[in-house]
PDB file of all heavy atoms in Angstrom:
ATOM      1  N   ASN W 176      17.828   7.274  -9.500  1.00 91.00           N
ATOM      2  CA  ASN W 176      18.643   8.318  -8.894  1.00 91.00           C
ATOM      3  C   ASN W 176      18.058   8.684  -7.531  1.00 91.00           C
ATOM      4  O   ASN W 176      17.268   9.613  -7.394  1.00 91.00           O
ATOM      5  CB  ASN W 176      18.679   9.547  -9.809  1.00 91.00           C
ATOM      6  CG  ASN W 176      19.578  10.641  -9.263  1.00 91.00           C
ATOM      7  OD1 ASN W 176      20.470  10.381  -8.448  1.00 91.00           O
ATOM      8  ND2 ASN W 176      19.368  11.872  -9.708  1.00 91.00           N
ATOM      9  N   HIS W 177      18.438   7.935  -6.505  1.00 92.00           N
ATOM     10  CA  HIS W 177      17.841   8.102  -5.173  1.00 92.00           C
ATOM     11  C   HIS W 177      18.462   9.233  -4.363  1.00 92.00           C
ATOM     12  O   HIS W 177      17.903   9.640  -3.335  1.00 92.00           O
ATOM     13  CB  HIS W 177      17.956   6.793  -4.385  1.00 92.00           C
ATOM     14  CG  HIS W 177      19.343   6.211  -4.384  1.00 92.00           C
ATOM     15  ND1 HIS W 177      20.376   6.747  -3.659  1.00 92.00           N
ATOM     16  CD2 HIS W 177      19.848   5.144  -5.046  1.00 92.00           C
ATOM     17  CE1 HIS W 177      21.463   6.025  -3.847  1.00 92.00           C
ATOM     18  NE2 HIS W 177      21.184   5.037  -4.702  1.00 92.00           N
ATOM     19  N   GLN W 178      19.625   9.739  -4.779  1.00 92.00           N
ATOM     20  CA  GLN W 178      20.299  10.840  -4.093  1.00 92.00           C
ATOM     21  C   GLN W 178      20.567  10.545  -2.619  1.00 92.00           C
ATOM     22  O   GLN W 178      20.670  11.443  -1.798  1.00 92.00           O
ATOM     23  CB  GLN W 178      19.482  12.131  -4.211  1.00 92.00           C
ATOM     24  CG  GLN W 178      19.285  12.595  -5.642  1.00 92.00           C
ATOM     25  CD  GLN W 178      18.367  13.802  -5.723  1.00 92.00           C
ATOM     26  OE1 GLN W 178      17.268  13.793  -5.154  1.00 92.00           O
ATOM     27  NE2 GLN W 178      18.813  14.834  -6.409  1.00 92.00           N
ATOM     28  N   GLY W 179      20.647   9.263  -2.294  1.00 93.00           N
ATOM     29  CA  GLY W 179      21.005   8.890  -0.922  1.00 93.00           C
ATOM     30  C   GLY W 179      19.845   8.747   0.026  1.00 93.00           C
ATOM     31  O   GLY W 179      20.056   8.420   1.201  1.00 93.00           O
ATOM     32  N   LEU W 180      18.606   8.944  -0.430  1.00 94.00           N
ATOM     33  CA  LEU W 180      17.439   8.818   0.449  1.00 94.00           C
ATOM     34  C   LEU W 180      16.366   7.969  -0.226  1.00 94.00           C
ATOM     35  O   LEU W 180      15.994   8.228  -1.371  1.00 94.00           O
ATOM     36  CB  LEU W 180      16.855  10.193   0.785  1.00 94.00           C
ATOM     37  CG  LEU W 180      17.697  11.119   1.678  1.00 94.00           C
ATOM     38  CD1 LEU W 180      16.994  12.445   1.850  1.00 94.00           C
ATOM     39  CD2 LEU W 180      17.979  10.481   3.027  1.00 94.00           C
ATOM     40  N   VAL W 181      15.879   6.978   0.497  1.00 94.00           N
ATOM     41  CA  VAL W 181      14.813   6.103  -0.004  1.00 94.00           C
ATOM     42  C   VAL W 181      13.813   5.887   1.132  1.00 94.00           C
ATOM     43  O   VAL W 181      14.204   5.540   2.254  1.00 94.00           O
ATOM     44  CB  VAL W 181      15.367   4.742  -0.477  1.00 94.00           C
ATOM     45  CG1 VAL W 181      14.233   3.840  -0.952  1.00 94.00           C
ATOM     46  CG2 VAL W 181      16.392   4.948  -1.591  1.00 94.00           C
ATOM     47  N   LEU W 182      12.539   6.086   0.830  1.00 94.00           N
ATOM     48  CA  LEU W 182      11.488   5.917   1.839  1.00 94.00           C
ATOM     49  C   LEU W 182      10.592   4.746   1.433  1.00 94.00           C
ATOM     50  O   LEU W 182      10.050   4.727   0.328  1.00 94.00           O
ATOM     51  CB  LEU W 182      10.653   7.199   1.944  1.00 94.00           C
ATOM     52  CG  LEU W 182       9.599   7.228   3.060  1.00 94.00           C
ATOM     53  CD1 LEU W 182      10.282   7.266   4.430  1.00 94.00           C
ATOM     54  CD2 LEU W 182       8.688   8.446   2.891  1.00 94.00           C
ATOM     55  N   GLN W 183      10.447   3.784   2.326  1.00 93.00           N
ATOM     56  CA  GLN W 183       9.592   2.628   2.054  1.00 93.00           C
ATOM     57  C   GLN W 183       8.181   2.898   2.593  1.00 93.00           C
ATOM     58  O   GLN W 183       7.985   3.106   3.780  1.00 93.00           O
ATOM     59  CB  GLN W 183      10.152   1.365   2.699  1.00 93.00           C
ATOM     60  CG  GLN W 183       9.328   0.118   2.381  1.00 93.00           C
ATOM     61  CD  GLN W 183       9.858  -1.122   3.058  1.00 93.00           C
ATOM     62  OE1 GLN W 183      10.727  -1.044   3.920  1.00 93.00           O
ATOM     63  NE2 GLN W 183       9.350  -2.272   2.667  1.00 93.00           N
ATOM     64  N   VAL W 184       7.207   2.878   1.668  1.00 91.00           N
ATOM     65  CA  VAL W 184       5.797   3.083   2.013  1.00 91.00           C
ATOM     66  C   VAL W 184       5.136   1.715   2.134  1.00 91.00           C
ATOM     67  O   VAL W 184       5.271   0.881   1.244  1.00 91.00           O
ATOM     68  CB  VAL W 184       5.098   3.932   0.934  1.00 91.00           C
ATOM     69  CG1 VAL W 184       3.616   4.097   1.256  1.00 91.00           C
ATOM     70  CG2 VAL W 184       5.774   5.300   0.825  1.00 91.00           C
ATOM     71  N   PRO W 185       4.422   1.436   3.231  1.00 90.00           N
ATOM     72  CA  PRO W 185       3.834   0.104   3.409  1.00 90.00           C
ATOM     73  C   PRO W 185       2.686  -0.131   2.451  1.00 90.00           C
ATOM     74  O   PRO W 185       2.092   0.819   1.916  1.00 90.00           O
ATOM     75  CB  PRO W 185       3.327   0.148   4.862  1.00 90.00           C
ATOM     76  CG  PRO W 185       3.028   1.599   5.107  1.00 90.00           C
ATOM     77  CD  PRO W 185       4.082   2.354   4.331  1.00 90.00           C
ATOM     78  N   PRO W 186       2.331  -1.385   2.213  1.00 88.00           N
ATOM     79  CA  PRO W 186       1.177  -1.683   1.355  1.00 88.00           C
ATOM     80  C   PRO W 186      -0.100  -1.092   1.940  1.00 88.00           C
ATOM     81  O   PRO W 186      -0.322  -1.148   3.148  1.00 88.00           O
ATOM     82  CB  PRO W 186       1.125  -3.219   1.349  1.00 88.00           C
ATOM     83  CG  PRO W 186       2.477  -3.661   1.787  1.00 88.00           C
ATOM     84  CD  PRO W 186       2.986  -2.603   2.703  1.00 88.00           C
ATOM     85  N   TYR W 187      -0.934  -0.533   1.071  1.00 89.00           N
ATOM     86  CA  TYR W 187      -2.204   0.027   1.527  1.00 89.00           C
ATOM     87  C   TYR W 187      -3.194  -1.109   1.797  1.00 89.00           C
ATOM     88  O   TYR W 187      -3.261  -2.076   1.037  1.00 89.00           O
ATOM     89  CB  TYR W 187      -2.771   0.971   0.464  1.00 89.00           C
ATOM     90  CG  TYR W 187      -4.084   1.610   0.861  1.00 89.00           C
ATOM     91  CD1 TYR W 187      -4.100   2.685   1.739  1.00 89.00           C
ATOM     92  CD2 TYR W 187      -5.298   1.122   0.380  1.00 89.00           C
ATOM     93  CE1 TYR W 187      -5.295   3.273   2.115  1.00 89.00           C
ATOM     94  CE2 TYR W 187      -6.495   1.699   0.753  1.00 89.00           C
ATOM     95  CZ  TYR W 187      -6.495   2.786   1.621  1.00 89.00           C
ATOM     96  OH  TYR W 187      -7.686   3.343   2.006  1.00 89.00           O
ATOM     97  N   GLU W 188      -3.937  -0.994   2.874  1.00 90.00           N
ATOM     98  CA  GLU W 188      -4.923  -2.009   3.233  1.00 90.00           C
ATOM     99  C   GLU W 188      -6.287  -1.576   2.687  1.00 90.00           C
ATOM    100  O   GLU W 188      -6.945  -0.699   3.250  1.00 90.00           O
ATOM    101  CB  GLU W 188      -5.000  -2.186   4.749  1.00 90.00           C
ATOM    102  CG  GLU W 188      -3.669  -2.521   5.410  1.00 90.00           C
ATOM    103  CD  GLU W 188      -3.206  -3.931   5.109  1.00 90.00           C
ATOM    104  OE1 GLU W 188      -4.000  -4.700   4.538  1.00 90.00           O
ATOM    105  OE2 GLU W 188      -2.057  -4.266   5.445  1.00 90.00           O
ATOM    106  N   TYR W 189      -6.692  -2.186   1.592  1.00 94.00           N
ATOM    107  CA  TYR W 189      -7.967  -1.822   0.977  1.00 94.00           C
ATOM    108  C   TYR W 189      -9.144  -2.399   1.761  1.00 94.00           C
ATOM    109  O   TYR W 189      -9.055  -3.478   2.351  1.00 94.00           O
ATOM    110  CB  TYR W 189      -8.017  -2.322  -0.469  1.00 94.00           C
ATOM    111  CG  TYR W 189      -7.088  -1.580  -1.398  1.00 94.00           C
ATOM    112  CD1 TYR W 189      -5.827  -2.097  -1.700  1.00 94.00           C
ATOM    113  CD2 TYR W 189      -7.457  -0.363  -1.956  1.00 94.00           C
ATOM    114  CE1 TYR W 189      -4.965  -1.417  -2.544  1.00 94.00           C
ATOM    115  CE2 TYR W 189      -6.603   0.317  -2.802  1.00 94.00           C
ATOM    116  CZ  TYR W 189      -5.359  -0.206  -3.097  1.00 94.00           C
ATOM    117  OH  TYR W 189      -4.504   0.469  -3.932  1.00 94.00           O
TER     118      TYR W 189
END
Side-chain angles (χ1 to χ4, degrees):
N176 183 22
H177 50 73
Q178 299 175 309
L180 292 178
V181 178
L182 186 68
Q183 183 182 10
V184 177
Y187 181 78
E188 304 288 351
Y189 290 97

